[in-house]
Amino acid sequence: MAALPELQVSFWMDKAVTWGQATSPSIQLDAGRHLNSLRNFLQQLLQALQSMSSTTDAMKNLPFVGQFLGRLCWNPYVTADGECRRLLLQCVWRLYSADPHNAVERKANEWIQNLLCHLTSEEEGSVVYALKKHSGSIPQQYYSETFKKMVALLTEEVSRNHITSANSSERCSCDHLYAVSVACVPLVTCPLAAPLVGALLKRPVSCGCSHLSKEFIDAVSSAWLSKKLVMEDLAVIALWCQSLSSLERAILSLLESVLADQGSVIHSLETTVTDSLLPKASALHCHLSLVVNDVFRSVLMVMEENLAVRALIQVFTSCFLQIRTAQKPQFQENPPLRAFFPHVPHNLLTPLLTTPSDVPKEAWLKHLCWIWELIQEILCERNEGGEEEEEDEQGSQRRRRAVFETWFLLVQCGHWLDAAAELLVSVGSEESEPLLFLLTFYHHPTNRGHQNTQQNMVAREAWSHLRIFFLTHTLPPEKLSSVKELLSSTHSTNLVLHLLLNFAVFSRASTSSASEVIQKLQIEAGMRCKAAWMLSSVQHRLNRTDSLDARVHSRLKTLQDSLGPAHALNCA
């Protein structure tokens, strides 16, 4: 565009100097009379800045611009006018360099950050302070109204599509969005700034470069995790889409909240997981789901036997599947379900991701036998002969990966293990084989130095003894001692406890008989927390079942109460 007329530039520069901070009534009156003309000039200046390729280019062709904008931004009577303030802010954004190349641009960035912060500051020397001193207005009222107007204007500008220039010679709009994000860093915890923060996060990227500063992303992530910032769900999810490090912080925060105070989390795990928004984000964006599950894998490999971690993963997967099913009609372009589980043998997905509530109870055994057969095929897979040693090693790694992914999916779909444990209360010896195998593999995927056959023997021995206790209503001392020994074993505690609690909840024995068995087994304090997590897993599955058994729910509640208050459990 044509250069700004020299006389016009000189006139407005003189006015900016004369007005200063508008301390006298005559100057304030003069400023008020010229506001309309000033708006027109600022619009011309904005168009001139939009045609510049860089901040350096703008400073070279418009050497007056920095001093001119700075003086006007410090004038409370100019900035009180909504249109003038909008144009001033747009001009300032145009001078910000997302990637400064020299000292001039770095200095300009620093000046702009300070300028935007002082526009809403109440400190001595600021615009608000000057207004209070010279006009007697209430600073908090001015601050609040000015801040609301600034946020509204910025939010409108950020949300507009026309902010992206069609002229290839002009600077990318991401530079200006970047400038706004920098100015927002000290404001992210202010409730009034939430709409602007959300608009910045949800603004689609118009080119390959980042349009938000790292400082802004980090500040928003920290504020949201510490509950100092309230944003709509899609804004939070947009944050994670743009910053995987913020997503990882959110996942670790969820894990820490579950592990740090397990007693209080037990009965509210589903609420805790849902409130984290991670299941919803995973259901909407496949790549976020893959990141979440990768973190879960890493944690599970380190804390394989931690029941709180297992319960968290199971409830998370359940919430994820429920949200994805509910939202599927709205998101037809969502990838197929198998894309969310790329490492799992596909033939396992259907039987395991189908919930027990979607299968008639009389078909549970057949369904679990189907799962057992598929897992047996994976575990028994052998390399065919004739391969080179290097290929054998690669094949071995693939098989180990397949076994781990199979077990991880089993943890994610732990509701089927609860269903297997429930069936073991009533099935015969022959039907118990596949169910005991699944329970053993679930609790001992790496064997911990033991053989599978030994673990299966432990499971069968515990199951046999528990059948006697709960089905014949007798308590042979020698068998009771055997179960107590298995419960105290480092390597079989979780497996035996899982069986014991399901017998206590689902057997036909009287509640008093079940309590007597548990009392005589003398479950020590450290094990009570494990029991609480297992019972919460059972409760979660039952709560999602259409047909509720009042007797079972009553027994479950009695057992949970017998463990003591959640906050008093020793879950360390």
Side-chain angles (χ1 to χ4, degrees):
M1 64 169 287
L4 292 170
E6 187 174 339
L7 287 176
Q8 199 175 9
V9 170
S10 178
F11 171 82
W12 285 113
M13 191 67 210
D14 288 342
K15 283 294 183 186
V17 173
T18 302
W19 291 344
Q21 292 190 11
T23 57
S24 71
S26 60
I27 291 178
Q28 294 168 13
L29 182 60
D30 186 56
R33 287 173 176 170
H34 285 85
L35 277 182
N36 190 50
S37 300
L38 176 60
R39 296 187 198 106
N40 294 333
F41 178 72
L42 287 173
Q43 184 64 51
Q44 294 178 52
L45 178 59
L46 176 60
Q47 292 173 0
L49 289 171
Q50 288 173 336
S51 67
M52 303 296 170
S53 59
S54 66
T55 300
T56 302
D57 185 31
M59 301 295 283
K60 179 180 178 181
N61 290 282
L62 302 168
F64 73 95
V65 69
Q67 185 181 167
F68 177 70
L69 293 175
R71 287 181 177 276
L72 291 182
C73 283
W74 284 96
N75 188 311
Y77 290 91
V78 173
T79 57
D81 178 74
E83 183 64 14
C84 282
R85 183 170 58 251
R86 181 181 68 82
L87 291 167
L88 282 172
L89 289 171
Q90 285 184 297
C91 289
V92 170
W93 304 341
R94 290 287 168 178
L95 291 176
Y96 193 90
S97 303
D99 185 21
H101 291 92
N102 52 54
V104 172
E105 293 184 350
R106 286 191 291 272
K107 189 69 176 176
N109 281 1
E110 184 179 344
W111 170 76
I112 291 167
Q113 291 176 37
N114 292 333
L115 180 64
L116 292 174
C117 287
H118 278 292
L119 278 173
T120 55
S121 171
E122 293 186 53
E123 296 177 358
E124 184 174 354
S126 69
V127 173
V128 180
Y129 182 84
L131 186 66
K132 175 188 178 184
K133 180 178 179 180
H134 300 294
S135 69
S137 298
I138 302 172
Q140 184 59 42
Q141 180 182 349
Y142 175 87
Y143 172 82
S144 179
E145 291 304 315
T146 300
F147 191 81
K148 287 180 182 177
K149 290 177 182 178
M150 178 186 284
V151 167
L153 288 168
L154 287 170
T155 303
E156 181 183 358
E157 289 298 327
V158 168
S159 302
R160 283 181 183 172
N161 291 326
H162 74 67
I163 196 169
T164 301
S165 173
N167 189 337
S168 60
S169 66
E170 295 180 11
R171 298 172 67 188
C172 174
S173 66
C174 290
D175 284 354
H176 317 307
L177 293 170
Y178 192 97
V180 178
S181 74
V182 170
C184 273
V185 171
L187 307 174
V188 294
T189 56
C190 177
L192 294 175
L196 176 56
V197 172
L200 283 166
L201 292 171
K202 292 186 293 182
R203 180 70 158 77
V205 180
S206 57
C207 66
C209 60
S210 174
H211 66 281
L212 299 176
S213 72
K214 181 180 182 301
E215 293 77 12
F216 173 77
I217 292 292
D218 290 344
V220 171
S221 180
S222 298
W224 189 78
L225 287 175
S226 60
K227 302 188 185 304
K228 294 179 180 178
L229 171 64
V230 177
M231 293 188 292
E232 58 180 336
D233 293 358
L234 292 181
V236 178
I237 295 171
L239 166 69
W240 295 336
C241 286
Q242 297 185 53
S243 171
L244 293 183
S245 63
S246 294
L247 173 65
E248 289 170 350
R249 287 176 65 185
I251 303 167
L252 294 177
S253 176
L254 174 62
L255 279 161
E256 288 170 1
S257 70
V258 171
L259 294 174
D261 191 12
Q262 296 182 33
S264 63
V265 174
I266 288 173
H267 299 303
S268 60
L269 183 59
E270 186 169 2
T271 300
T272 302
V273 170
T274 302
D275 289 348
S276 75
L277 293 184
L278 290 167
K280 183 174 183 178
S282 297
L284 291 177
H285 300 280
C286 185
H287 72 286
L288 299 186
S289 174
L290 299 179
V291 173
V292 173
N293 282 329
D294 275 345
V295 175
F296 285 158
R297 282 187 187 87
S298 299
V299 174
L300 199 56
M301 283 191 283
V302 177
M303 307 175 72
E304 177 185 304
E305 294 190 4
N306 189 293
L307 295 180
V309 172
R310 291 197 185 196
L312 169 62
I313 294 172
Q314 177 184 333
V315 171
F316 176 90
T317 305
S318 179
C319 292
F320 156 77
L321 291 171
Q322 185 179 39
I323 293 170
R324 190 178 185 276
T325 300
Q327 293 183 335
K328 193 171 182 180
Q330 304 171 33
F331 298 93
Q332 295 296 335
E333 296 181 2
N334 228 8
L337 193 56
R338 64 176 178 273
F340 293 82
F341 303 89
H343 307 300
V344 180
H346 289 169
N347 57 354
L348 263 177
L349 286 178
T350 298
L352 276 174
L353 294 182
T354 302
T355 63
S357 60
D358 291 330
V359 178
K361 192 166 185 177
E362 57 271 19
W364 279 9
L365 181 60
K366 182 178 180 181
H367 192 92
L368 284 162
C369 286
W370 179 22
I371 294 172
W372 168 65
E373 290 170 357
L374 293 172
I375 293 178
Q376 283 277 55
E377 291 176 7
I378 295 168
L379 297 182
C380 297
E381 187 183 41
R382 292 290 183 270
N383 245 1
E384 296 181 1
E387 295 183 358
E388 299 295 332
E389 184 176 345
E390 181 179 350
E391 293 176 334
D392 285 343
E393 178 60 27
Q394 291 176 352
S396 177
Q397 290 178 357
R398 283 195 298 270
R399 287 196 303 278
R400 286 197 295 270
R401 177 64 181 270
V403 171
F404 174 81
E405 292 298 334
T406 299
W407 173 67
F408 182 59
L409 183 62
L410 207 58
V411 172
Q412 290 177 295
C413 303
H415 41 252
W416 277 116
L417 274 301
D418 288 328
E422 179 182 341
L423 287 181
L424 280 166
V425 175
S426 56
V427 298
S429 180
E430 185 176 339
E431 296 169 316
S432 68
E433 181 181 350
L435 305 179
L436 288 171
F437 172 87
L438 289 174
L439 219 59
T440 302
F441 177 60
Y442 174 76
H443 286 291
H444 301 284
T446 57
N447 295 324
R448 293 289 185 184
H450 300 274
Q451 297 296 320
N452 280 329
T453 52
Q454 292 176 331
Q455 292 296 342
N456 282 323
M457 287 174 61
V458 168
R460 181 161 293 281
E461 181 184 359
W463 176 71
S464 299
H465 294 336
L466 290 170
R467 286 186 78 204
I468 294 174
F469 296 161
F470 286 95
L471 301 184
T472 64
H473 313 300
T474 60
L475 298 172
E478 69 281 2
K479 294 190 180 298
L480 188 65
S481 298
S482 177
V483 173
K484 286 177 65 174
E485 184 179 340
L486 291 173
L487 267 177
S488 62
S489 168
T490 306
H491 302 300
S492 60
T493 298
N494 291 348
L495 171 59
V496 177
L497 189 61
H498 200 168
L499 283 169
L500 168 64
L501 294 173
N502 274 273
F503 268 97
V505 173
F506 295 105
S507 74
R508 289 290 171 180
S510 66
T511 305
S512 59
S513 297
S515 299
E516 182 185 0
V517 172
I518 293 177
Q519 182 181 359
K520 291 196 174 186
L521 287 173
Q522 298 175 345
I523 295 180
E524 48 93 17
M527 205 182 300
R528 294 207 332 253
C529 186
K530 291 185 176 184
W533 278 110
M534 288 182 177
L535 291 176
S536 71
S537 176
V538 173
Q539 184 180 40
H540 181 261
R541 176 173 64 83
L542 293 178
N543 287 343
R544 289 174 174 261
T545 304
D546 293 333
S547 56
L548 301 179
D549 188 327
R551 183 188 67 86
V552 168
H553 277 270
S554 175
R555 292 170 70 95
L556 178 61
K557 187 177 186 309
T558 300
L559 285 171
Q560 289 175 322
D561 291 343
S562 70
L563 296 174
H567 62 82
L569 294 175
N570 177 16
C571 296

